[in-house]
Amino acid sequence: MGCICEVFIKIISMFLICYGLKTNALTDDFHSFCSGGPITSNTYQSNLNVLLSSLTNSFNETIVRNGYYNDTAGRKPNAAYGMYQCRGYITLEECRYGVESAAKEVLLRCPNIKQAIITYKELVVLKFSDQLFFSIMQEKPLFTLPNAKSVTNPDEFNPQFDRLANDLVSEVASNGVSSSTSSSTNKRLFATRSIDVTRSQKIYGLAQCTSDLSVSNCTQCLRGEIDDVGKRFRGRIGARVICMSCFFRYELYPLYLPDTTSPPFSSPMIPPSTKTKRKISLKVLFSIIVPSVIVVLSIIVFLYFCKRKKVAKKID
Ligand SMILES: *[C@@H]1O[C@H](CO)[C@@H](O)[C@H](O)[C@H]1NC(C)=O
Ligand SMILES: *[C@@H]1O[C@H](CO)[C@@H](O)[C@H](O)[C@H]1NC(C)=O
Ligand SMILES: *[C@@H]1O[C@H](CO)[C@@H](O)[C@H](O)[C@H]1NC(C)=O
């Protein structure tokens, strides 16, 4: 009896997981950038396939430290280099899911292309290339996604924003320095912080570089992103800036707790992907109602099934 129940619960949860994956794939959670021209070598193509599966399988074999992993498949001149970086606050499971999604999506968005960068919900950034790029800072392409709204108290807000941004950069640097004794190519270049603006207003910030950057290059990368926000979108109630090597984000709510949902932002200033997340309410609706109906129906069927089984036993 217990065994049947277990199997049944497994079937239900598998169904729900599949449903979840499907609805996720419908939204535009990715930003990508293809470069380097078409692939002309079959050897590179097969090295690239090996590389991408090495990235997605890294969770089985390696201890993924600081959400970072890199690998090389094959040899020059056909070597494929690849890496991913997950945000410092997400779980390993979320990281794995993000890397798998990104690795799949990048092949659809950059088919037969030598080099590509893709981000998944800005939680994961993944890159592959036919050129060695580890430890090299790459600030372009830069995706700046500002919130469309501005604060109503810029005179109070802006100085505190500057303070928060500076503190974050310093903290990332000091985390990087203190973690680099263990492994100089896998640093903890991540920090979160908050600052009070008024009694009821607080800014929450997050900054991170890929773990293979030098501390000085990381600092430079983050300053570039913060400058971009400060120059073009000063006083917005939130923004995120994603490039290959670093990530900066701030909001008026605690954004670094896992599972925070983000408010809609105005369309990205820089290519590609101009879709905003207007479909989200529909998606949320579906992802709540449909599974609920499935669960309720399943329970009814299950109870019916169990009852019949009992009756059958009694008859035996
Ligand atoms: C790694 O784990 C995933 C999921 O558990 C599995 O699908 C995959 O085949 C595994 N890969 C290797 C190389 O063991
Ligand atoms: C990972 O990157 C580091 C440099 O950041 C490099 O020394 C190392 O060889 C890379 N590992 C692989 C397997 O490519
Ligand atoms: C910083 O980045 C530049 C440009 O990518 C690179 O040439 C340099 O080697 C990097 N410096 C360090 C210390 O990693």
Side-chain angles (χ1 to χ4, degrees), residues 56-57 59-61 96 100:
T56 52
N57 284 331
F59 299 91
N60 304 24
E61 292 130 25
R96 177 207 286 266
E100 281 171 4

Side-chain angles (χ1 to χ4, degrees), residues 31 119 122 141-143 145 225 240-244 246-247:
H31 294 281
T119 67
E122 89 270 341
L142 186 77
F143 303 100
L145 313 171
E225 292 197 333
R240 54 197 112 164
V241 198
I242 313 166
C243 77
M244 176 59 210
C246 63
F247 176 71

Side-chain angles (χ1 to χ4, degrees), residues 17 31 68 95 121 127 131 141 148 158 175 187 196 227 231 237 260 290:
I17 287 167
H31 294 281
Y68 173 85
C95 179
K121 284 186 174 175
K127 175 177 176 176
Q131 309 289 322
N158 289 335
N175 286 344
K187 302 178 202 71
D196 289 324
D227 267 10
K231 284 199 184 109
I237 63 168
T260 47
V290 176

Side-chain angles (χ1 to χ4, degrees), residues 298-310:
S298 307
I299 289 170
I300 292 170
V301 170
F302 178 53
L303 289 178
Y304 176 73
F305 184 73
C306 287
K307 220 171 176 185
R308 267 188 57 154
K309 192 85 191 175
K310 260 189 192 159

Side-chain angles (χ1 to χ4, degrees), residues 28-43:
D28 195 15
D29 291 330
F30 299 94
H31 294 281
S32 57
F33 183 75
C34 319
S35 60
I39 293 173
T40 49
S41 148
N42 286 336
T43 318

